[in-house]
Amino acid sequence: MPDLLIELFSEEIPARMQARAADDLRRLMTEALVEAGLSYAGAAGFATPRRLALSVQGLSAASPTLREERKGPRVDAPEAAIEGFLRGAGVTRDQLEARDDKKGTFYVATITRAGRPAADIVAEALEQVIRNFPWPKSMRWGTGTLRWVRPLHSILCILTDEAGEAKVVPVEIDGIRAGNTTRGHRFMAPDEFSVTSFDDYEARLKVARVILRAEERAEIIRQEAGNLAFAAGLDLVEDAGLLEEVAGLVEWPVVLMGEIGAAFLGLPAEVLQTSMREHQKFFSLRNAATGRIERFVTVANIETPDHGATILAGNQKVLAARLSDAKFFWENDLRRVREKGLEGMAEGLRDVTFHNKLGSQADRVARIAALAREIAPMVGAKPDLAAEAARVCKADLQSAMVGEFPELQGLMGRYYAQAAGHDDGVPEACEEHYKPLGPGDAVPSAPVSVAVALADKIDTLCGFWAIDEKPTGSKDPYALRRAALGVIRLVLGNGVRFDLFDPLSNQLERNEKSAHNVKEADSARAIDKLKKDIGGATVGTVSVRAQSIRIINGRRVHGRAPDLLAFLHDRLKVHLRDEGIRHDVIDACLAMEGNDDLTLLVHRARALSDFLKTDDGENLLQGFKRANNILTQAEEKDGVEYSYGADVKFAETDEERALFAALDTAEPQIAAALTSEDFAAAMSAMAALRAPIDAFFDAVQVNVESAVIRRNRLNLLSRIRSICLQAADLARLEG
């Protein structure tokens, strides 16, 4: 069985596209080969800046000959139907066979498709893959029609048999004919050389100063950078994303260490690291004792006689220019903070639109500050500090540094807040209020940070809910699902206890007022323009009515709050699914009072989930469902509700009396445990009901002839139902 080697050699492929392209080449080619009838033992894709490569091991030498029987029309069918079947099957009348079955005699055609050599199939598949390759961006060059990410120079495509003999697959695309040759490093080994197999290809590339595997290039960079850092008494700042990118920029990594000018060492470490990473693709070396970034590592793509001295000199010159800009931004921002304070810096947010229906960033900051003050006592923060932090948390958006490096927003806010004299958790809240940004991001725990982070995310949700900009299907342009998950993680991660209806309602009302003010302002501008157009005539004003406030269960609730709470509950289901908690368990707990207290809700769901994993829990559930089904059927039949009046004096069996006693014991225990929110204890008390309920159903018939006994037993089942439903709505559970 031969091995296949393909290389597509071009100008430099952008680093961000390489891994995906290598995987696409592997996937598309193997799918095409399998569809054509070939099998293979293994396949792997590779990428360097100038090439995509594919190795397929153990490929079939040819596709198998296939025989297919196709059933046609009845033998007495109209001639036109038979002729149509012949054309479709590609056979003649004398090749048909008449066969009998239960419905009559039918024509059957046996169609034979001869196998094809692997080389023919590979050639056909490769042309289709190249011409339809899914590059994010592609270009056309010269006079040909082929589009590729960069000009394609050559194609290597060979099949190597078990004897080691390599044959070129005959492929030609836009005048580029496949061969068995490739090239090494652009400068250090530019000459062509031929290869006979994948192992030969990889080994000869390495001799020609090209390391084929991206992970090997990355490991070389990581190890050599770490060694240089260790020798200088510094630590390499890990940056997996940068490492992957740089490994895609070089074919032969040469790691060099350079100096940062002394004038720039006073810049915040994050500024130095970000500037060097974004502008120069440099790795940072940190002094563990001081936390300062003191040197950098760059990766060249060539070995030089002066061991990189000229490269380093050029890099350091460019770096100095970049860091001069960063130093100017830093010093200018600090001057503004000293002169105006952080709230003074934030004044410019009035001219920055957050959303054209929700007003400016300053309007949003005011809403966040009001909500942060309300939330603060619930998370253990001082209201004045939470409001102070909220008022300045977005100020750094007006800084020159964040204008240059948007990814530093929040972090620079912490530095500027410290410079402005804020303390008691305010600077940390400026940085942490964006968190958590994703599933792997840490959750803030400092009370002021938690208050502002919750207010920020709740305002985002309420704002877009107020203007009916909700996520639909897979579309979520304002990242509202991420904001909802952030609220959930902040609440659960800090054990926060409060009813969400209140802050949701209040913030929805604030956002509606903002939307109302924006509409009123737009209307006023439109009226002014209209007055000018019609010569100053009197024009009436337009008023926008806000969403109504409703009273739900005695509480003042904004009309949109239940829908927004349901959205949070849906995200909570996704979050808890990763813990192994079933959706029906969550639904059973959502049906209970207090479902807007997420911490309480999750404690109940976890206790119920753990309980149902035990034999007692599963059996009690079945007993509850049996009792509920019998009771529901009887109530529907009789047209009455059996919800009271069960009396032990009407019990006729020991099993009935034992169940009465068990319910009398369990009911106050369960009620007390639920009052103290000890759901595990409540479930434990419920577990004690399992045996007497099982014994009751084994020994007692509910629907007996005696109306008094039947009614008493149905009322006893009602006690089972009502006691079990105190913990959760077990009727919603599956199984």
Side-chain angles (χ1 to χ4, degrees):
M1 302 179 77
D3 294 335
L4 171 65
L5 172 62
I6 296 171
E7 181 200 71
L8 306 174
F9 185 86
S10 68
E11 294 296 326
E12 275 71 5
I13 304 167
R16 66 183 184 279
M17 299 183 187
Q18 291 173 19
R20 174 68 181 272
D23 187 64
D24 283 341
L25 178 61
R26 178 198 57 78
R27 175 179 56 83
L28 294 172
M29 277 300 300
T30 54
E31 286 177 356
L33 296 176
V34 170
E35 186 177 351
L38 299 180
S39 61
Y40 65 96
F46 308 90
T48 79
R50 293 207 296 163
R51 70 201 79 219
L52 293 181
L54 172 67
S55 170
V56 181
Q57 304 86 42
L59 189 67
S60 305
S63 61
T65 297
L66 300 177
R67 297 182 184 277
E68 173 192 357
E69 288 190 351
R70 187 179 300 180
K71 185 178 180 181
R74 292 168 59 102
V75 294
D76 56 353
E79 189 65 24
I82 297 174
E83 289 295 332
F85 174 66
L86 292 173
R87 288 192 299 272
V91 296
T92 58
R93 180 71 67 97
D94 59 351
Q95 293 176 293
L96 297 179
E97 178 184 351
R99 291 186 187 174
D100 295 330
D101 67 12
K102 294 179 181 179
K103 296 183 179 180
T105 304
F106 291 82
Y107 283 123
V108 175
T110 301
I111 303 169
T112 301
R113 291 190 175 88
R116 301 169 60 202
D120 293 349
I121 294 173
V122 168
E124 182 180 286
L126 183 57
E127 180 171 3
Q128 289 301 312
V129 167
I130 291 176
R131 289 194 178 279
N132 299 285
F133 202 80
W135 291 110
K137 291 184 178 180
S138 60
M139 62 182 295
R140 188 170 61 83
W141 63 96
T143 58
T145 60
L146 177 64
R147 300 188 67 87
W148 200 244
V149 63
R150 295 290 186 270
L152 185 64
H153 290 315
S154 66
I155 300 172
L156 183 153
C157 187
I158 59 173
L159 284 167
T160 305
D161 61 22
E162 295 177 357
E165 183 179 354
K167 293 184 179 179
V168 175
V169 176
V171 183
E172 183 173 348
I173 303 173
D174 266 22
I176 304 173
R177 186 184 298 274
N180 63 351
T181 61
T182 185
R183 294 176 182 272
H185 192 280
R186 181 186 290 274
F187 303 110
M188 294 189 288
D191 296 333
E192 281 190 355
F193 57 87
S194 61
V195 298
T196 59
S197 66
F198 174 75
D199 290 340
D200 181 47
Y201 170 73
E202 185 174 21
R204 297 199 65 181
L205 277 178
K206 189 165 289 189
V207 171
R209 297 296 192 272
V210 174
I211 296 174
L212 179 63
R213 299 173 189 266
E215 61 272 19
E216 184 179 349
R217 299 196 298 272
E219 182 59 20
I220 290 171
I221 295 168
R222 190 190 65 78
Q223 285 191 357
E224 294 191 6
N227 291 339
L228 289 173
F230 179 78
L234 302 173
D235 292 336
L236 174 67
V237 177
E238 296 291 338
D239 192 331
L242 179 61
L243 180 61
E244 181 180 359
E245 182 178 6
V246 173
L249 295 174
V250 296
E251 291 189 319
W252 188 257
V254 178
V255 181
L256 306 169
M257 182 172 67
E259 300 280 350
I260 298 173
F264 308 117
L265 294 179
L267 288 171
E270 296 86 354
V271 171
L272 284 170
Q273 184 181 351
T274 302
S275 180
M276 292 193 297
R277 181 185 65 237
E278 296 301 316
H279 290 148
Q280 303 302 122
K281 309 305 176 189
F282 290 171
F283 295 90
S284 298
L285 301 185
R286 180 172 50 210
N287 186 319
T290 64
R292 295 197 315 176
I293 302 296
E294 296 184 353
R295 295 191 181 186
F296 69 87
V297 162
T298 184
V299 182
N301 190 37
I302 190 172
E303 296 173 348
T304 61
D306 63 359
H307 306 291
T310 303
I311 293 173
L312 276 176
N315 282 334
Q316 289 173 170
K317 184 176 181 180
V318 174
L319 178 62
R322 291 291 190 184
L323 294 184
S324 293
D325 291 342
K327 185 180 179 184
F328 171 79
F329 297 147
W330 168 247
E331 292 175 347
N332 190 54
D333 289 339
L334 289 178
R335 178 184 56 78
R336 290 176 61 196
V337 169
R338 286 193 297 268
E339 292 175 355
K340 297 183 176 182
L342 207 52
E343 291 194 48
M345 177 182 277
E347 288 178 358
L349 294 175
R350 299 185 184 282
D351 301 322
V352 179
T353 300
F354 169 63
H355 188 279
N356 62 359
K357 294 182 180 179
L358 292 171
S360 67
Q361 283 283 8
D363 296 330
R364 181 165 187 251
V365 166
R367 295 193 301 266
I368 294 172
L371 182 57
R373 181 180 289 278
E374 293 175 12
I375 290 176
M378 306 171 192
V379 299
K382 294 179 179 179
D384 288 344
L385 280 176
E388 176 188 338
R391 289 196 302 271
V392 300
C393 69
K394 307 290 185 185
D396 65 342
L397 296 179
Q398 288 296 103
S399 69
M401 187 67 79
V402 172
E404 178 71 12
F405 301 114
E407 60 270 36
L408 292 180
Q409 64 186 23
L411 175 68
M412 298 312 301
R414 187 192 78 199
Y415 280 115
Y416 297 145
Q418 290 170 339
H422 295 278
D423 55 12
D424 293 331
V426 172
E428 290 74 15
C430 290
E431 178 182 6
E432 296 178 339
H433 79 280
Y434 290 105
K435 298 177 176 291
L437 291 173
D441 199 14
V443 176
S445 58
V448 176
S449 296
V450 173
V452 181
L454 276 171
D456 178 67
K457 290 164 181 60
I458 290 174
D459 181 75
T460 298
L461 291 165
C462 291
F464 290 104
W465 237 254
I467 60 174
D468 286 322
E469 291 282 358
K470 307 171 187 177
T472 56
S474 61
K475 295 181 179 179
D476 187 10
Y478 303 110
L480 300 186
R481 293 187 179 96
R482 185 175 70 185
L485 183 58
V487 171
I488 290 166
R489 292 188 62 203
L490 282 162
V491 169
L492 300 184
N494 290 284
V496 175
R497 296 297 308 276
F498 65 87
D499 298 338
L500 269 173
F501 257 135
D502 294 332
L504 292 181
S505 293
N506 294 340
Q507 207 65 4
L508 279 164
E509 204 169 346
R510 292 187 185 103
N511 274 281
E512 259 188 2
K513 287 179 180 177
S514 292
H516 172 79
N517 291 338
V518 169
K519 287 184 178 181
E520 289 288 343
D522 289 343
S523 297
R525 283 191 291 269
I527 289 169
D528 289 342
K529 182 178 185 300
L530 184 57
K531 285 180 178 179
K532 292 179 181 179
D533 292 343
I534 62 178
T538 301
V539 179
T541 59
V542 178
S543 180
V544 183
R545 179 177 297 176
Q547 179 80 13
S548 62
I549 299 296
R550 305 174 187 175
I551 304 300
I552 300 178
N553 295 330
R555 301 170 66 182
R556 184 177 181 275
V557 175
H558 192 281
R560 298 182 193 269
D563 183 46
L564 180 50
L565 183 61
F567 177 73
L568 283 163
H569 285 160
D570 286 341
R571 304 320 300 163
L572 179 64
K573 290 180 184 180
V574 174
H575 179 66
L576 293 181
R577 185 174 59 198
D578 295 336
E579 291 187 21
I581 299 179
R582 303 181 338 224
H583 68 88
D584 59 324
V585 171
I586 305 169
D587 287 336
C589 297
L590 284 173
M592 308 304 292
E593 186 177 352
N595 64 14
D596 59 335
D597 182 341
L598 298 186
T599 299
L600 178 70
L601 173 61
V602 170
H603 285 168
R604 190 191 298 267
R606 286 171 176 162
L608 179 57
S609 179
D610 291 342
F611 178 57
L612 292 175
K613 292 174 183 176
T614 66
D615 290 340
D616 282 344
E618 184 60 33
N619 289 329
L620 178 64
L621 175 61
Q622 298 308 316
F624 163 82
K625 291 205 167 191
R626 187 172 178 183
N628 188 49
N629 290 338
I630 295 172
L631 189 59
T632 301
Q633 291 170 6
E635 288 175 336
E636 291 177 354
K637 177 183 176 182
D638 301 341
V640 297
E641 180 182 339
Y642 294 101
S643 58
Y644 63 94
D647 195 327
V648 69
K649 71 181 181 182
F650 295 111
E652 294 185 331
T653 68
D654 291 340
E655 288 80 7
E656 281 181 274
R657 285 184 281 274
L659 181 54
F660 270 104
L663 292 172
D664 289 341
T665 300
E667 189 167 16
Q669 293 176 348
I670 294 171
L674 292 175
T675 300
S676 62
E677 298 179 358
D678 188 350
F679 297 110
M683 301 300 170
S684 178
M686 285 176 57
L689 296 174
R690 175 233 173 142
I693 290 175
D694 287 348
F696 174 83
F697 281 120
D698 288 342
V700 177
Q701 181 181 348
V702 175
N703 291 309
V704 294
E705 292 185 5
S706 170
V708 173
I709 300 301
R710 176 177 178 270
R711 183 169 58 252
N712 195 61
R713 288 175 178 172
L714 287 171
N715 281 319
L716 183 60
L717 297 187
S718 179
R719 281 196 69 189
I720 295 174
R721 179 171 68 181
S722 62
I723 289 173
C724 290
L725 288 178
Q726 291 180 54
D729 189 352
L730 303 186
R732 296 176 182 265
L733 295 174
E734 299 173 357

